[in-house]
């Protein structure tokens, strides 16, 4: 199945599920309208009929009540209870319309409408308006029916309002009744007219635009340095987020569930939506997934969901949780290779955009093989190179590791244009981190200043305690010497039967100066802890699958038996421990409780961790 067919299938399934809830709402309103109609019919016809009244009363009143006279008396009061004819007519029209469409949405719901971006943009917008107009009548009747069941329809106001009712007057609930209108386009963002994409998502219509990108890099581009970076190759996900008022999904089959959920959320949103989906060519779904995962690890195609309706704060509207190792600039992967001695080994390695490009057809020959790298040479890994400042980079040559034909590890010099593009992707990922509240430099700066302030305050407190204790010890010592001299004088003068005075200078009664820092440190540790239960691992059952190491190598590490242990529980966020527990095939990781209860979405991660503790 192609990615285009996958999008159509997922959109259709999501819409069909939504149609069930629409049918339920229509049925609920139509039932209330029917109750009004039935009640009105009763007051108008049922108990005014002499025969029906006689049948209702039975033989009990056969010779005691005149049914004809009773019917006449009852009808006199009923005329005042009857609703106006105009209102009854409106209610019947609304009831008939909603009953019909409730059955349609339940039994054979309409299917999403698809169009192509290659069509004229204004024609697409006009097509949406026509599509909305075709569905306007039953939504209009739903609004009228909703007002009538509350007896809130005011003819002086609503007759004029509904005379020219159109989709622009719909509320969010009514807008969600409209069949999705989806525009698709294949090719990179650069191959499609950015102006057309922006026009569609900012047209004020809830049009869903899906851009299916077959590649992220142009194999024919020979631009280097500044030109390679400045050449416009827009990131649609970032562009969509910058518009703020639209729903944005960027993803691929690297995370099928995340892609499916994102498409469903965007389809059912009453906002315009932009779907940026990686759509590589592949002979099978597994091949497409493998290519998608490589791209995801390269940080060149950030998986994200931006939903403006999720929260009032921007940072909580943007979700980048689907990306691996989100705390770090580049994810760590396990690199398996054959050593010079023929032994199979594995090492952790930071995967970058340059590593991804090396594996793409058309770029292999651009990487120069590097041999005999001596200690102290100017060659450094590209990941380390990216962490250097401009001056430090001038003296270095960036390389990456890749397997050669013998499955042995080989180093390759990265071309300048790929270095420039990798630097750009590195910067883009850091931008997404900051926007999503992960590794925000301003927050980190405040945290550092707070730690320094607390450390200085602790040092001052320790110094005060030490000075106080030193003074107390000196006073006690002086007092002890004075009393000792007095006792000695009394004995020398023969006044030995007089009780001697004493003073206690105990090392344990007053903490020594040297012990003060330890006391303060222990108190600080007690004050800053968050949860109670620490994470733990059944190490002896570890299968060395690498899943937890890939998620966070700062928390997890292998012991001498190549079985995982916790290196540092503070080496990353609590969510990485929970993710590792979920990924672990042996189910031996128990996340415990978070050290920092102020982590983002901490309640969600505690809930997910429960079944592993």
């Amino acid at each position: 199945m192609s990615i285009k067919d996958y999008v159509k299938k997922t959109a259709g399934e999501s819409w069909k599920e939504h149609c069930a809830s629409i049918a339920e709402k229509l049925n609920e309103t139509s039932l209330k309208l029917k109750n009004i109609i039935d009640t009105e019919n009763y007051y108008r016809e049922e108990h005014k009929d002499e025969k029906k009244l006689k049948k209702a009363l039975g033989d009990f009143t056969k010779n005691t009540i005149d049914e004809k006279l009773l019917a006449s008396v009852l009808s006199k009061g009923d005329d005042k209870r009857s609703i106006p004819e105009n209102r009854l007519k409106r209610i019947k029209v609304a009831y008939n319309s909603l009953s019909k469409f409730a059955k349609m949405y339940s039994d054979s719901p309409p299917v999403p409408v698809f169009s192509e971006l290659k069509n004229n943009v204004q024609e697409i917008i006009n097509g949406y308006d026509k599509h909305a107009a075709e569905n306007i009548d039953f939504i209009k009747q739903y609004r009228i029916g909703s007002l009538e069941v509350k007896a809130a329809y005011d003819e002086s106001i609503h007759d004029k309002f509904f005379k020219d009712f159109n989709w622009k007057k719909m509320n969010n609930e009514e807008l969600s009744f409209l069949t999705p209108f989806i525009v698709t386009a294949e090719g990179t963002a650069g191959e499609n007219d950015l102006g057309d994409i922006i026009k569609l998502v900012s047209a004020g219509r809830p049009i869903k635009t899906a851009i299916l990108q077959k590649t992220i890099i142009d194999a024919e581009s020979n631009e280097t340095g500044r030109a390679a970076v400045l050449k416009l190759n827009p990131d649609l996900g970032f562009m969509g987020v910058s518009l703020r008022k639209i729903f944005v999904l960027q993803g691929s089959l690297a995370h099928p569930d995340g892609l499916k959920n994102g498409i469903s959320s965007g389809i059912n949103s009453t906002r315009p939506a932009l779907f940026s989906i990686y759509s590589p060519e592949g002979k099978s779904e597994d091949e497409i997934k493998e290519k998608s995962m490589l791209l995801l690890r390269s940080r060149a195609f950030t998986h994200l969901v931006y939903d403006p309706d999720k929260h009032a704060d921007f940072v909580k509207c943007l979700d980048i949780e689907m990306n691996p190792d989100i705390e770090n600039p580049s994810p760590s992967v396990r690199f398996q290779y054959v050593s010079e001695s023929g032994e199979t080994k594995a090492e952790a390695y930071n995967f970058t955009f340059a590593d991804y490009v090396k594996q793409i057809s058309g770029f292999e020959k651009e990487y120069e093989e590097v041999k005999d790298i001596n200690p102290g040479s100017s060659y450094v890994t590209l990941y380390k190179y990216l962490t250097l400042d401009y001056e430090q980079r001038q003296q270095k040559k960036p390389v990456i590791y890749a397997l050669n034909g013998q499955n042995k590890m080989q180093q390759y010099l990265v071309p300048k244009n790929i270095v420039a593009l990798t630097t750009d992707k590195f910067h883009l990922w850091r931008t997404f981190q900051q926007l999503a509240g992960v590794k925000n430099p301003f927050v980190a700066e405040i945290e550092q200043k707070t730690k320094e302030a607390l450390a200085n305050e602790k040092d001052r407190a320790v110094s005060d305690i030490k000075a106080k204790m030193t003074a107390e010890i000196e006073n006690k010592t002086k007092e002890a010497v004075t009393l000792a001299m007095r006792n000695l004088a009394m004995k020398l003068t023969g006044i030995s039967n007089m009780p001697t005075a004493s003073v206690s200078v105990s090392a344990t009664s007053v903490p020594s100066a040297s012990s003060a820092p330890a006391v303060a440190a222990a108190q600080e540790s007690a004050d800053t802890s968050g949860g109670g239960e620490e994470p733990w691992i059944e190490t002896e059952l570890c299968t060395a699958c690498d899943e937890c190491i890939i998620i966070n190598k700062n928390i997890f590490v292998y012991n001498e038996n190549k079985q995982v242990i916790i290196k540092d529980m503070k080496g990353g966020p609590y969510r990485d421990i929970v993710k590792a527990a979920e990924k672990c095939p042996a189910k031996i990781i128990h996340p415990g409780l978070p050290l920092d209860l102020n982590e983002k979405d901490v309640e969600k991660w505690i809930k997910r961790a429960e079944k592993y503790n």
Side-chain angles (χ1 to χ4, degrees):
M1 180 188 299
S2 68
I3 297 296
K4 186 175 183 179
D5 290 337
Y6 178 88
V7 171
K8 288 185 175 182
K9 180 175 180 291
T10 303
E13 291 173 348
S14 174
W15 170 244
K16 189 174 182 180
E17 289 180 9
H18 184 58
C19 283
S21 67
I22 295 175
E24 187 177 337
K25 292 177 181 179
L26 298 180
N27 271 322
E28 182 182 351
T29 303
S30 65
L31 180 61
K32 291 178 181 178
L33 293 173
K34 187 177 185 302
N35 288 338
I36 296 174
I37 295 171
D38 289 346
T39 302
E40 183 63 18
N41 286 338
Y42 171 76
Y43 283 123
R44 287 186 176 220
E45 304 296 337
E46 294 293 327
H47 69 288
K48 293 182 181 180
D49 189 290
E50 182 182 339
K51 291 181 179 179
K52 291 182 179 180
L53 188 59
K54 185 176 181 179
K55 183 178 179 181
L57 293 173
D59 295 336
F60 176 73
T61 59
K62 186 175 182 181
N63 298 315
T64 57
I65 295 179
D66 185 338
E67 290 88 355
K68 184 176 181 180
L69 181 60
L70 179 60
S72 175
V73 172
L74 290 172
S75 64
K76 290 180 180 179
D78 290 339
D79 291 339
K80 295 179 180 179
R81 294 189 187 185
S82 295
I83 62 178
E85 197 65 38
N86 284 345
R87 184 188 177 201
L88 182 60
K89 183 179 179 180
R90 275 196 309 271
I91 292 173
K92 287 182 176 180
V93 171
Y95 168 71
N96 291 332
S97 177
L98 298 188
S99 299
K100 171 187 171 183
F101 279 92
K103 182 173 176 57
M104 183 189 77
Y105 272 78
S106 177
D107 297 344
S108 55
V111 297
V113 177
F114 284 88
S115 181
E116 297 285 341
L117 186 57
K118 61 186 178 183
N119 300 329
N120 179 273
V121 173
Q122 190 56 51
E123 289 179 2
I124 294 174
I125 295 172
N126 293 340
Y128 174 82
D129 290 344
K130 181 181 178 182
H131 161 69
E134 292 170 352
N135 293 272
I136 201 69
D137 186 62
F138 96 88
I139 297 177
K140 170 183 172 181
Q141 295 305 326
Y142 177 75
R143 175 81 72 90
I144 292 174
S146 299
L147 288 169
E148 288 292 3
V149 297
K150 299 175 184 176
Y153 191 100
D154 185 338
E155 291 183 351
S156 64
I157 298 173
H158 294 115
D159 282 357
K160 183 179 180 180
F161 176 81
F162 285 110
K163 187 176 181 180
D164 58 350
F165 187 79
N166 57 48
W167 72 268
K168 295 178 182 179
K169 292 185 176 182
M170 295 180 190
N171 57 35
N172 281 343
E173 180 189 36
E174 294 161 352
L175 203 57
S176 73
F177 292 176
L178 286 178
T179 310
F181 193 90
I182 305 169
V183 179
T184 61
E186 296 182 278
T188 64
E191 291 171 347
N192 288 286
D193 190 332
L194 274 179
D196 287 347
I197 297 173
I198 293 174
K199 283 180 184 177
L200 276 180
V201 298
S202 58
R205 277 85 171 157
I207 297 172
K208 320 300 178 182
T209 305
I211 309 299
L212 313 178
Q213 304 193 61
K214 292 187 179 297
T215 183
I216 302 300
I217 185 170
D218 183 5
E220 297 179 0
S221 174
N222 294 315
E223 300 288 5
T224 61
R226 184 180 298 275
V229 177
L230 297 182
K231 182 180 179 182
L232 185 60
N233 186 23
D235 182 276
L236 284 181
F238 186 79
M239 185 192 78
V241 171
S242 69
L243 294 175
R244 294 189 304 108
K245 293 183 179 181
I246 69 173
F247 180 96
V248 182
L249 162 72
Q250 183 160 278
S252 71
L253 281 180
H255 278 293
D257 290 342
L259 180 61
K260 182 178 179 180
N261 293 337
I263 292 174
S264 297
S265 297
I267 290 296
N268 293 325
S269 172
T270 56
R271 294 176 178 271
L274 176 63
F275 303 145
S276 172
I277 302 174
Y278 182 48
S279 176
E281 295 180 353
K283 296 179 181 178
S284 66
E285 188 172 311
D286 287 340
E287 184 181 347
I288 293 175
K289 284 183 179 179
E290 184 179 350
K291 288 182 177 181
S292 300
M293 183 55 75
L294 280 174
L295 182 63
L296 178 63
R297 288 172 178 163
S298 75
R299 303 296 200 210
F301 197 75
T302 302
H303 279 211
L304 64 92
V305 173
Y306 175 71
D307 184 357
D309 294 318
K310 187 176 180 181
H311 201 275
D313 294 332
F314 181 94
V315 69
K316 293 186 178 179
C317 294
L318 180 61
D319 186 353
I320 60 171
E321 292 290 341
M322 287 186 292
N323 297 275
D325 203 3
I326 65 172
E327 294 285 336
N328 294 313
S330 295
S332 177
V333 298
R334 296 294 290 177
F335 198 104
Q336 281 195 328
Y337 64 98
V338 177
S339 67
E340 292 298 328
S341 62
E343 183 181 359
T344 300
K345 291 187 175 182
E347 291 184 13
Y349 178 71
N350 289 102
F351 196 85
T352 67
F353 181 65
D355 295 276
Y356 165 75
V357 174
K358 175 71 171 65
Q359 301 182 42
I360 298 177
S361 177
F363 286 91
E364 306 94 329
K365 295 181 181 179
E366 292 195 28
Y367 289 74
E368 179 184 342
E369 186 175 321
V370 178
K371 296 181 179 180
D372 302 326
I373 296 181
N374 299 316
S377 67
S378 60
Y379 293 102
V380 295
T381 63
L382 178 58
Y383 177 74
K384 183 176 181 180
Y385 178 86
L386 294 174
T387 64
L388 303 177
D389 60 34
Y390 177 78
E391 293 299 329
Q392 292 171 322
R393 289 183 183 184
Q394 304 312 304
Q395 309 301 321
K396 300 296 181 182
K397 296 179 181 179
V399 296
I400 62 169
Y401 291 100
L403 298 178
N404 61 20
Q406 291 76 42
N407 218 32
K408 293 183 178 181
M409 187 184 293
Q410 178 62 52
Q411 290 183 322
Y412 295 88
L413 184 64
V414 184
K416 290 184 178 180
N417 60 331
I418 304 301
V419 172
L421 288 172
T422 304
T423 304
D424 179 58
K425 303 304 180 186
F426 191 83
H427 178 267
L428 178 64
W429 169 248
R430 290 183 64 185
T431 303
F432 275 122
Q433 282 183 308
Q434 293 160 19
L435 290 174
V438 181
K439 291 286 187 181
N440 189 299
F442 300 106
V443 175
E445 184 178 350
I446 292 172
E447 287 180 349
Q448 183 60 32
K449 288 181 178 178
T450 302
K451 288 179 180 179
E452 291 175 358
L454 289 173
N456 292 335
E457 185 178 341
K458 184 191 75 173
D459 290 342
R460 285 195 299 270
V462 170
S463 296
D464 291 344
I465 292 172
K466 287 172 68 175
K468 183 178 179 181
M469 289 191 298
T470 300
E472 288 181 0
I473 291 172
E474 288 178 353
N475 289 336
K476 291 288 186 180
T477 302
K478 289 178 181 179
E479 184 181 348
V481 171
T482 301
L483 291 175
M485 293 299 293
R486 179 185 171 207
N487 290 337
L488 177 60
M490 291 170 65
K491 287 188 177 184
L492 290 175
T493 56
I495 315 176
S496 58
N497 293 328
M498 194 172 181
T500 57
S502 65
V503 64
S504 172
V505 184
S506 171
T508 57
S509 62
V510 180
S512 68
S514 61
S515 68
V519 173
Q523 290 173 342
E524 181 190 30
S525 174
D527 291 341
T528 58
S529 61
E533 184 182 345
E534 294 185 355
W536 61 284
I537 298 176
E538 298 173 74
T539 300
E540 65 278 3
L541 301 179
C542 176
T543 60
C545 67
D546 294 339
E547 292 287 355
C548 57
I549 303 291
I550 290 174
I551 290 173
N552 195 316
K553 63 181 180 181
N554 295 322
I555 297 178
F556 303 100
V557 70
Y558 284 126
N559 62 14
E560 64 276 6
N561 298 322
K562 203 175 186 306
Q563 290 183 306
V564 75
I565 58 174
I566 292 179
K567 174 184 176 183
D568 180 6
M569 69 182 70
K570 297 181 180 179
Y574 178 66
R575 63 172 168 263
D576 283 354
I577 303 177
V578 179
K579 286 181 182 179
E582 292 173 338
K583 281 282 189 179
C584 178
K587 305 301 179 189
I588 62 169
I589 299 176
H590 308 282
L593 295 174
L595 293 175
D596 182 3
L597 295 177
N598 293 318
E599 276 191 28
K600 182 181 178 182
D601 297 330
V602 70
E603 292 181 1
K604 177 182 79 173
W605 293 107
I606 291 174
K607 185 70 175 174
R608 284 173 60 168
E610 285 179 356
K611 62 181 177 180
Y612 301 102
N613 284 327

